[in-house]
Amino acid sequence: MRLPARCLGLVLLAANLTAPAQQLTARQVIERIKQATGAESPAQTVDTFKGGDPEEKVTGIATTFLDTYAVLQQAAADGHNLIITHEPTFYTHTDDKSILGNDPVQAQKEAFVRDHHLVVWRFHDLWHLRNPDGILEGVTAKLGWEQFQVPGQPHLFKLPQQTLGDLETNLKQQLGAELFRVVGDRKMQVSRVALLPGASGEVKQVEFLERDDVEVLVAGEAAEWETVEYARDAIAEGRHKALILVGHEVSEEPGMEYCAKWLQGLFPGVPVEFLKAGSPFAAVPAHGSR
């Protein structure tokens, strides 16, 4: 009896899931990930291989917000040769290496990937297009906000009443961060929050700040002359608004930590590890401390 195409696909999927790690190439792993998202890649997607040979046999998978040089070193030391990064490897959204040309920092990073037989693939567009958005789902879980999520509106939350300062403190504790930028009165009482991880852009950020059911926008980053000044003017006009910028990395990294757990379910025979890139910004130590 001839199996329908869908059934045949499930049989092949099952074979992939149970195959030992040494039988899977990076390309096979990535194709399975693409299918599992249930999303359609954009025509000009950035979700492509950034370095290495896709036909390499996978010894382990490392997920990360951003494959910094330190992350690549850690992945190699841990024996994980497939690195799945959410953000660019080579300093532009499209990983256009021609912009920096023969820059020594870029060249050394390329050489490290090549010399250690690593394979780097970016998981950005499809992870966001997945339903639910993989980054937002991971961040929401990290914050423990699932119970406060407004039904049908995944970016909106009705939190217990608290001051803006308390919200900032709680976010720092949950996200393990030290440096936020806050526009607003830290004594203001708030409960209705919009969460936009990453760099969602001025239009989307302002659309949420305009809403009557949003008092605080928690976002990753914003251009200082755009959403930041909009929020400042809104407050000066007497509107009950505030903005907390936690940083792009801090706002999205939990989504790639969640990605590692998700991949463990897809590839039970393959070692999967989350590697923390960490915020590039450090708090200034107190005077005299080391």
Side-chain angles (χ1 to χ4, degrees):
M1 181 179 69
R2 186 173 183 179
L3 290 172
R6 178 174 175 80
C7 293
L8 180 59
L10 292 173
V11 170
L12 293 173
L13 168 58
N16 273 346
L17 289 175
T18 57
Q22 63 268 24
Q23 294 182 355
L24 290 171
T25 66
R27 191 185 304 279
Q28 288 172 324
V29 169
I30 297 312
E31 287 305 313
R32 171 81 280 275
I33 292 172
K34 290 179 180 179
Q35 294 171 17
T37 64
E40 188 74 26
S41 292
Q44 302 298 323
T45 184
V46 294
D47 292 359
T48 59
F49 288 100
K50 307 304 179 183
D53 181 1
E55 303 310 320
E56 286 275 0
K57 302 293 186 180
V58 174
T59 59
I61 302 171
T63 71
T64 185
F65 165 77
L66 198 149
D67 58 330
T68 64
Y69 195 75
V71 164
L72 293 174
Q73 289 177 308
Q74 188 62 57
D78 292 347
H80 303 321
N81 67 340
L82 176 56
I83 293 85
I84 297 178
T85 180
H86 185 62
E87 294 297 356
T89 302
F90 297 111
Y91 320 115
T92 69
H93 183 59
T94 58
D95 285 284
D96 183 356
K97 290 181 285 188
S98 69
I99 292 176
L100 297 185
N102 295 323
D103 175 82
V105 172
Q106 178 171 272
Q108 184 169 333
K109 195 172 190 179
E110 284 187 275
F112 188 90
V113 171
R114 181 181 62 251
D115 295 346
H116 290 81
H117 301 283
L118 303 179
V119 183
V120 177
W121 182 71
R122 187 171 178 194
F123 193 21
H124 181 273
D125 297 343
L126 285 174
W127 196 222
H128 278 302
L129 290 172
R130 171 183 174 267
N131 187 16
D133 179 321
I135 293 293
L136 183 62
E137 185 174 18
V139 178
T140 300
K142 186 77 170 182
L143 293 173
W145 285 6
E146 298 98 326
Q147 62 181 314
F148 306 118
Q149 205 162 25
V150 176
Q153 301 191 70
H155 290 280
L156 297 184
F157 300 84
K158 181 67 167 64
L159 303 178
Q161 192 81 6
Q162 58 197 291
T163 66
L164 179 65
D166 286 340
L167 175 60
E168 177 191 6
T169 298
N170 292 333
L171 285 168
K172 287 181 176 179
Q173 291 173 345
Q174 295 300 321
L175 296 175
E178 298 177 310
L179 296 176
F180 289 175
R181 289 183 169 187
V182 179
V183 182
D185 179 1
R186 285 181 168 84
K187 296 179 181 179
M188 182 177 75
Q189 292 289 323
V190 299
S191 65
R192 295 173 294 176
V193 177
L195 176 62
L196 292 178
S200 50
E202 179 188 20
V203 173
K204 191 170 184 179
Q205 291 168 349
V206 168
E207 283 178 353
F208 275 95
L209 276 171
E210 285 176 335
R211 296 176 60 133
D212 292 337
D213 56 355
V214 172
E215 297 166 321
V216 185
L217 171 62
V218 177
E221 64 171 294
E224 293 185 11
W225 68 90
E226 295 177 348
T227 307
V228 172
E229 293 303 335
Y230 175 90
R232 181 154 66 166
D233 281 351
I235 294 164
E237 292 173 1
R239 304 177 193 276
H240 195 76
K241 301 291 180 179
L243 172 68
I244 300 178
L245 298 177
V246 304
H248 196 139
E249 185 276 339
V250 171
S251 76
E252 291 199 316
E253 190 157 61
M256 294 308 289
E257 182 177 11
Y258 169 69
C259 180
K261 299 173 183 176
W262 182 72
L263 291 177
Q264 287 166 2
L266 287 178
F267 303 103
V270 182
V272 181
E273 179 183 18
F274 163 69
L275 295 179
K276 185 178 180 67
S279 173
F281 307 109
V284 178
H287 180 70
S289 65
R290 295 286 182 180

